[in-house]
Amino acid sequence: MTTELRRLRNYIDGEFRDAADGRTTEVVNPVTGEAYASAPLSAAADVDAAMDAAKAAFPAWRDLIPAERQKVLLKIADAFEERAEELIAVESENTGKPLGLTRTEEIPPMVDQIRFFAGAARLLEGRSAGEYMEGLTSIVRREPIGVCAQVAPWNYPMMMAVWKFAPALAAGNTVVLKPSDTTPASTVLMAEIIGGVLAELGHPKGVFNVVCGDRDTGRLMVEHPVPAMASITGSVRAGMQVAESASKDLKRVHLELGGKAPVVVFEDTDLAKAVEDISTAGFFNAGQDCTAATRVLVHESIHDEFVTALAKAAADTKTGAPDDDDVLYGPLNNANQLAQVAGFIDRLPAHAKVEAGGERVGDKGYFYAPTVVSGLKQDDEIIQKEVFGPVITVQSFSSEEQAIEYANGVEYALASSVWTKNHARAMRLSKALDFGCVWINTHIPLVAEMPHGGFKKSGYGKDLSAYGFEDYTRVKHVMTSLEG
């Protein structure tokens, strides 16, 4: 006897709809490895409908005064708070994340970030008006871009959706958002909540739309002639494809891609505290975080002691079911990701040593043990490529110069951290590290007021902060004669 799958639907122009051609894809619970829902496998007709709805809604939404858009976002934040337990339950089934940590580590930041952008809508700063040519006054207008095509990832389905729609809506744009094909459930619930707020306040139905589907659906969105901007959080490969597709009609592009964060630990750090914080920041969310503390560089004088302590911390870290309050993280998101993580360990060179973990946990679902690998060289695959799993690598360095060389010696440039009691050294490293964020004696905290984004193959554009808000605006110069 088969269990009937829950039916997820697209949200287009204020209505829940199946894919026009009726195609669906199964959504799998990563805790069990079994399908629990079906979602639309959207094609061109569905993307056309969503883009048409967003385009039709744009003029009215654009022309609202910022205070009115703020009201909408604040009400959305309140509604997310009120329905937090529903969001937590769906997200946990979506991803396998621990219920308790989703409640404390995701819902509050999401709500805070929406409220931040609600305020940012009313504080769009620019250069003052002035005369730069005799008899003429110049002013600068900040305007919304238009329809935004947005693609969210599977590692933080709810939070990354917030990072995309909140600044876009606050700036006066309309949105067509596609969740990952493995984690659409929470985004569909968010669409229900957001759509309800828009309807209650009398705003156009097409301001916010959700289209479910696969990579081809995302490609259709990016290539569509309506959007003025394409935004994606995903892999380097996906980002390059989006940039290439968007270049054909010169869409603006916002890319938040992979990471390989160096964690540089000097001999004067508080070793016990560093190990505790780094292990948490490396294993949290099963290491499925572009900023995860998974590439540790340790001064040679404390290397062995650090590795021993980190291996013990890994052994003491628990993965398991969402309702177990003792677990730090749940399963990897999908079967392909489990195979990818296991593949890195299977291909380790002979000089590498697995200090802890290195194997799948259990016989169902996609759980992987907290893993520590030492004895690695700078050009090893596991150092150069993003694992995106609960695997922390450890390298040794002998000097500050070598630490900087190793840290910067990858193609990613999103986040990094420095662990030292020497203030001058911390300042030197913060300047030398070629990453969009440098944490000092901590790793992974983010706040709405500060920008998040990287360089090199980690992409371009900023999430969060006023910088992230401005990314969803365009600049217009207006000049007027004083003699008219």
Side-chain angles (χ1 to χ4, degrees), residues 95-137:
T95 63
K97 294 180 181 183
L99 291 165
L101 286 174
T102 304
R103 182 175 294 109
T104 59
E105 302 300 319
E106 295 203 32
I107 295 294
M110 285 164 46
V111 170
D112 178 67
Q113 289 152 7
I114 296 169
R115 288 173 176 154
F116 170 83
F117 284 114
R122 300 182 68 173
L123 193 64
L124 189 57
E125 297 180 347
R127 293 185 176 90
S128 61
E131 290 69 51
Y132 303 96
M133 185 177 289
E134 188 173 345
L136 297 163
T137 293

Short mmCIF file of all heavy atoms in Angstrom, two decimals, residues 95-137:
data_model
loop_
_atom_site.label_atom_id
_atom_site.label_comp_id
_atom_site.label_asym_id
_atom_site.label_seq_id
_atom_site.Cartn_x
_atom_site.Cartn_y
_atom_site.Cartn_z
N THR A 95 14.15 19.57 5.13
CA THR A 95 15.62 19.51 5.19
C THR A 95 16.17 18.50 6.19
O THR A 95 17.36 18.19 6.13
CB THR A 95 16.18 20.89 5.58
OG1 THR A 95 15.72 21.22 6.90
CG2 THR A 95 15.75 21.97 4.61
N GLY A 96 15.35 18.06 7.15
CA GLY A 96 15.85 17.20 8.21
C GLY A 96 16.53 17.94 9.34
O GLY A 96 17.13 17.33 10.23
N LYS A 97 16.45 19.27 9.36
CA LYS A 97 17.12 20.06 10.39
C LYS A 97 16.48 19.83 11.77
O LYS A 97 15.27 19.61 11.87
CB LYS A 97 17.05 21.55 10.06
CG LYS A 97 17.82 21.95 8.82
CD LYS A 97 17.69 23.43 8.57
CE LYS A 97 18.44 23.84 7.31
NZ LYS A 97 18.39 25.28 7.06
N PRO A 98 17.29 19.93 12.83
CA PRO A 98 16.73 19.81 14.19
C PRO A 98 15.66 20.88 14.44
O PRO A 98 15.86 22.05 14.12
CB PRO A 98 17.95 20.02 15.08
CG PRO A 98 19.13 19.65 14.24
CD PRO A 98 18.76 20.06 12.84
N LEU A 99 14.57 20.46 15.03
CA LEU A 99 13.47 21.39 15.28
C LEU A 99 13.90 22.53 16.20
O LEU A 99 13.59 23.69 15.95
CB LEU A 99 12.30 20.63 15.91
CG LEU A 99 11.57 19.64 14.99
CD1 LEU A 99 10.70 18.70 15.82
CD2 LEU A 99 10.72 20.39 13.98
N GLY A 100 14.61 22.17 17.28
CA GLY A 100 14.99 23.20 18.26
C GLY A 100 15.90 24.25 17.67
O GLY A 100 15.72 25.46 17.91
N LEU A 101 16.89 23.83 16.90
CA LEU A 101 17.83 24.79 16.32
C LEU A 101 17.16 25.63 15.22
O LEU A 101 17.49 26.80 15.06
CB LEU A 101 19.04 24.06 15.75
CG LEU A 101 20.03 23.53 16.79
CD1 LEU A 101 21.12 22.70 16.14
CD2 LEU A 101 20.66 24.69 17.57
N THR A 102 16.23 25.04 14.49
CA THR A 102 15.49 25.83 13.49
C THR A 102 14.68 26.91 14.19
O THR A 102 14.58 28.04 13.71
CB THR A 102 14.57 24.91 12.66
OG1 THR A 102 15.36 23.87 12.07
CG2 THR A 102 13.88 25.69 11.56
N ARG A 103 14.13 26.55 15.34
CA ARG A 103 13.32 27.51 16.11
C ARG A 103 14.17 28.67 16.62
O ARG A 103 13.73 29.83 16.58
CB ARG A 103 12.65 26.79 17.29
CG ARG A 103 11.74 27.66 18.14
CD ARG A 103 11.04 26.82 19.20
NE ARG A 103 10.10 25.87 18.61
CZ ARG A 103 10.30 24.55 18.57
NH1 ARG A 103 11.40 24.01 19.11
NH2 ARG A 103 9.41 23.76 18.00
N THR A 104 15.38 28.39 17.09
CA THR A 104 16.19 29.43 17.73
C THR A 104 17.16 30.12 16.77
O THR A 104 17.48 31.30 16.96
CB THR A 104 17.00 28.85 18.89
OG1 THR A 104 17.86 27.80 18.40
CG2 THR A 104 16.09 28.29 19.96
N GLU A 105 17.62 29.40 15.74
CA GLU A 105 18.69 29.93 14.89
C GLU A 105 18.22 30.42 13.53
O GLU A 105 18.99 31.06 12.81
CB GLU A 105 19.78 28.87 14.68
CG GLU A 105 20.40 28.34 15.96
CD GLU A 105 21.06 29.44 16.78
OE1 GLU A 105 21.72 30.30 16.18
OE2 GLU A 105 20.92 29.42 18.02
N GLU A 106 16.98 30.14 13.17
CA GLU A 106 16.52 30.57 11.84
C GLU A 106 15.32 31.52 11.90
O GLU A 106 15.33 32.56 11.25
CB GLU A 106 16.21 29.35 10.98
CG GLU A 106 17.46 28.52 10.68
CD GLU A 106 17.33 27.67 9.42
OE1 GLU A 106 16.62 28.09 8.48
OE2 GLU A 106 17.94 26.59 9.39
N ILE A 107 14.30 31.17 12.65
CA ILE A 107 13.11 32.03 12.68
C ILE A 107 13.43 33.44 13.18
O ILE A 107 13.07 34.43 12.52
CB ILE A 107 11.99 31.39 13.53
CG1 ILE A 107 11.49 30.09 12.87
CG2 ILE A 107 10.83 32.38 13.70
CD1 ILE A 107 10.80 30.28 11.54
N PRO A 108 14.11 33.62 14.33
CA PRO A 108 14.40 34.99 14.78
C PRO A 108 15.22 35.81 13.78
O PRO A 108 14.87 36.97 13.51
CB PRO A 108 15.13 34.78 16.11
CG PRO A 108 14.65 33.45 16.59
CD PRO A 108 14.51 32.62 15.36
N PRO A 109 16.31 35.28 13.20
CA PRO A 109 17.04 36.08 12.20
C PRO A 109 16.19 36.42 10.98
O PRO A 109 16.27 37.53 10.46
CB PRO A 109 18.22 35.18 11.82
CG PRO A 109 18.41 34.27 12.95
CD PRO A 109 17.04 34.03 13.51
N MET A 110 15.39 35.47 10.52
CA MET A 110 14.54 35.74 9.36
C MET A 110 13.59 36.90 9.62
O MET A 110 13.46 37.82 8.81
CB MET A 110 13.71 34.49 9.01
CG MET A 110 14.46 33.38 8.35
SD MET A 110 13.54 31.82 8.40
CE MET A 110 11.90 32.34 7.90
N VAL A 111 12.93 36.86 10.74
CA VAL A 111 11.97 37.91 11.10
C VAL A 111 12.70 39.24 11.24
O VAL A 111 12.24 40.29 10.76
CB VAL A 111 11.22 37.54 12.39
CG1 VAL A 111 10.41 38.71 12.91
CG2 VAL A 111 10.32 36.32 12.14
N ASP A 112 13.85 39.22 11.89
CA ASP A 112 14.64 40.44 12.07
C ASP A 112 15.08 41.00 10.72
O ASP A 112 15.06 42.23 10.52
CB ASP A 112 15.86 40.13 12.94
CG ASP A 112 16.76 41.33 13.13
OD1 ASP A 112 16.33 42.30 13.80
OD2 ASP A 112 17.89 41.33 12.61
N GLN A 113 15.48 40.15 9.80
CA GLN A 113 15.95 40.62 8.49
C GLN A 113 14.83 41.25 7.69
O GLN A 113 15.03 42.27 7.02
CB GLN A 113 16.59 39.44 7.74
CG GLN A 113 17.93 39.02 8.34
CD GLN A 113 18.26 37.56 8.11
OE1 GLN A 113 17.56 36.85 7.39
NE2 GLN A 113 19.33 37.09 8.74
N ILE A 114 13.63 40.67 7.76
CA ILE A 114 12.49 41.29 7.07
C ILE A 114 12.21 42.66 7.65
O ILE A 114 11.97 43.64 6.92
CB ILE A 114 11.25 40.39 7.17
CG1 ILE A 114 11.48 39.06 6.44
CG2 ILE A 114 10.03 41.10 6.56
CD1 ILE A 114 10.41 38.02 6.71
N ARG A 115 12.27 42.76 8.98
CA ARG A 115 12.01 44.07 9.62
C ARG A 115 13.11 45.07 9.29
O ARG A 115 12.84 46.27 9.14
CB ARG A 115 11.87 43.87 11.13
CG ARG A 115 10.57 43.18 11.50
CD ARG A 115 10.47 42.82 12.96
NE ARG A 115 9.16 42.24 13.27
CZ ARG A 115 8.91 41.41 14.27
NH1 ARG A 115 9.89 41.07 15.11
NH2 ARG A 115 7.71 40.91 14.46
N PHE A 116 14.34 44.59 9.17
CA PHE A 116 15.43 45.50 8.78
C PHE A 116 15.15 46.10 7.41
O PHE A 116 15.25 47.32 7.22
CB PHE A 116 16.77 44.76 8.75
CG PHE A 116 17.87 45.57 8.14
CD1 PHE A 116 18.56 46.51 8.88
CD2 PHE A 116 18.20 45.42 6.80
CE1 PHE A 116 19.56 47.29 8.32
CE2 PHE A 116 19.20 46.20 6.22
CZ PHE A 116 19.88 47.13 6.98
N PHE A 117 14.79 45.26 6.44
CA PHE A 117 14.55 45.78 5.09
C PHE A 117 13.28 46.63 5.03
O PHE A 117 13.18 47.53 4.20
CB PHE A 117 14.52 44.64 4.08
CG PHE A 117 15.89 44.12 3.76
CD1 PHE A 117 16.26 42.83 4.12
CD2 PHE A 117 16.83 44.93 3.14
CE1 PHE A 117 17.54 42.35 3.85
CE2 PHE A 117 18.11 44.46 2.86
CZ PHE A 117 18.47 43.17 3.21
N ALA A 118 12.33 46.35 5.92
CA ALA A 118 11.17 47.23 6.02
C ALA A 118 11.60 48.65 6.38
O ALA A 118 11.10 49.63 5.83
CB ALA A 118 10.18 46.69 7.06
N GLY A 119 12.55 48.74 7.31
CA GLY A 119 13.08 50.06 7.67
C GLY A 119 13.94 50.66 6.58
O GLY A 119 13.89 51.87 6.33
N ALA A 120 14.72 49.80 5.91
CA ALA A 120 15.59 50.30 4.84
C ALA A 120 14.80 50.93 3.71
O ALA A 120 15.28 51.85 3.04
CB ALA A 120 16.45 49.15 4.30
N ALA A 121 13.59 50.46 3.50
CA ALA A 121 12.75 51.03 2.44
C ALA A 121 12.54 52.52 2.63
O ALA A 121 12.36 53.26 1.65
CB ALA A 121 11.39 50.32 2.42
N ARG A 122 12.61 52.98 3.87
CA ARG A 122 12.35 54.40 4.16
C ARG A 122 13.64 55.20 4.40
O ARG A 122 13.57 56.37 4.79
CB ARG A 122 11.45 54.51 5.39
CG ARG A 122 10.11 53.83 5.20
CD ARG A 122 9.21 53.99 6.38
NE ARG A 122 8.76 55.38 6.56
CZ ARG A 122 7.85 55.74 7.46
NH1 ARG A 122 7.29 54.84 8.24
NH2 ARG A 122 7.51 57.00 7.57
N LEU A 123 14.78 54.57 4.17
CA LEU A 123 16.03 55.26 4.44
C LEU A 123 17.02 55.04 3.29
O LEU A 123 18.14 54.59 3.48
CB LEU A 123 16.64 54.77 5.76
CG LEU A 123 17.78 55.62 6.33
CD1 LEU A 123 17.28 57.01 6.69
CD2 LEU A 123 18.37 54.95 7.56
N LEU A 124 16.55 55.32 2.10
CA LEU A 124 17.40 55.15 0.92
C LEU A 124 18.19 56.43 0.70
O LEU A 124 17.69 57.43 0.23
CB LEU A 124 16.53 54.83 -0.31
CG LEU A 124 17.28 54.42 -1.56
CD1 LEU A 124 18.17 53.21 -1.30
CD2 LEU A 124 16.29 54.08 -2.67
N GLU A 125 19.46 56.37 1.07
CA GLU A 125 20.28 57.58 1.05
C GLU A 125 20.94 57.77 -0.31
O GLU A 125 21.17 56.83 -1.06
CB GLU A 125 21.35 57.49 2.14
CG GLU A 125 20.77 57.44 3.54
CD GLU A 125 21.83 57.36 4.61
OE1 GLU A 125 22.98 57.08 4.26
OE2 GLU A 125 21.49 57.56 5.79
N GLY A 126 21.26 59.03 -0.62
CA GLY A 126 21.95 59.35 -1.86
C GLY A 126 22.64 60.69 -1.74
O GLY A 126 22.55 61.37 -0.72
N ARG A 127 23.35 61.04 -2.80
CA ARG A 127 24.03 62.35 -2.79
C ARG A 127 23.00 63.47 -2.79
O ARG A 127 21.93 63.35 -3.36
CB ARG A 127 24.93 62.48 -4.02
CG ARG A 127 26.12 61.53 -4.00
CD ARG A 127 27.05 61.80 -5.18
NE ARG A 127 28.23 60.96 -5.12
CZ ARG A 127 28.32 59.75 -5.68
NH1 ARG A 127 27.27 59.26 -6.33
NH2 ARG A 127 29.42 59.04 -5.60
N SER A 128 23.35 64.56 -2.15
CA SER A 128 22.45 65.70 -2.11
C SER A 128 22.39 66.36 -3.49
O SER A 128 23.30 66.22 -4.31
CB SER A 128 22.93 66.71 -1.08
OG SER A 128 24.21 67.20 -1.42
N ALA A 129 21.28 67.06 -3.75
CA ALA A 129 21.16 67.81 -4.99
C ALA A 129 22.18 68.93 -5.00
O ALA A 129 22.61 69.43 -3.96
CB ALA A 129 19.74 68.38 -5.11
N GLY A 130 22.60 69.33 -6.19
CA GLY A 130 23.58 70.41 -6.28
C GLY A 130 23.75 70.90 -7.70
O GLY A 130 23.24 70.31 -8.65
N GLU A 131 24.47 72.02 -7.82
CA GLU A 131 24.75 72.61 -9.12
C GLU A 131 26.18 72.28 -9.50
O GLU A 131 27.12 72.73 -8.85
CB GLU A 131 24.55 74.13 -9.10
CG GLU A 131 23.10 74.56 -8.97
CD GLU A 131 22.49 74.24 -7.61
OE1 GLU A 131 23.11 74.60 -6.59
OE2 GLU A 131 21.42 73.61 -7.58
N TYR A 132 26.34 71.52 -10.56
CA TYR A 132 27.67 71.11 -11.02
C TYR A 132 27.97 71.73 -12.38
O TYR A 132 29.06 71.57 -12.93
CB TYR A 132 27.75 69.58 -11.08
CG TYR A 132 27.44 68.97 -9.73
CD1 TYR A 132 26.17 68.51 -9.43
CD2 TYR A 132 28.41 68.91 -8.73
CE1 TYR A 132 25.88 67.99 -8.18
CE2 TYR A 132 28.13 68.40 -7.48
CZ TYR A 132 26.86 67.94 -7.21
OH TYR A 132 26.58 67.43 -5.96
N MET A 133 26.97 72.43 -12.92
CA MET A 133 27.12 73.24 -14.11
C MET A 133 26.27 74.49 -13.90
O MET A 133 25.17 74.39 -13.36
CB MET A 133 26.66 72.47 -15.36
CG MET A 133 26.90 73.20 -16.67
SD MET A 133 26.41 72.19 -18.11
CE MET A 133 27.72 70.96 -18.08
N GLU A 134 26.77 75.63 -14.28
CA GLU A 134 26.08 76.89 -13.99
C GLU A 134 24.67 76.88 -14.55
O GLU A 134 24.44 76.54 -15.71
CB GLU A 134 26.87 78.06 -14.58
CG GLU A 134 26.32 79.42 -14.14
CD GLU A 134 27.20 80.57 -14.60
OE1 GLU A 134 28.36 80.31 -15.01
OE2 GLU A 134 26.73 81.71 -14.55
N GLY A 135 23.70 77.24 -13.69
CA GLY A 135 22.32 77.34 -14.11
C GLY A 135 21.56 76.03 -14.14
O GLY A 135 20.41 75.99 -14.58
N LEU A 136 22.20 74.95 -13.67
CA LEU A 136 21.56 73.63 -13.72
C LEU A 136 21.69 72.92 -12.38
O LEU A 136 22.75 72.96 -11.77
CB LEU A 136 22.19 72.77 -14.82
CG LEU A 136 22.05 73.28 -16.25
CD1 LEU A 136 23.04 72.57 -17.16
CD2 LEU A 136 20.63 73.08 -16.75
N THR A 137 20.62 72.31 -11.95
CA THR A 137 20.64 71.53 -10.71
C THR A 137 20.50 70.04 -11.05
O THR A 137 19.66 69.65 -11.85
CB THR A 137 19.49 71.95 -9.78
OG1 THR A 137 19.72 73.28 -9.34
CG2 THR A 137 19.42 71.03 -8.56
#
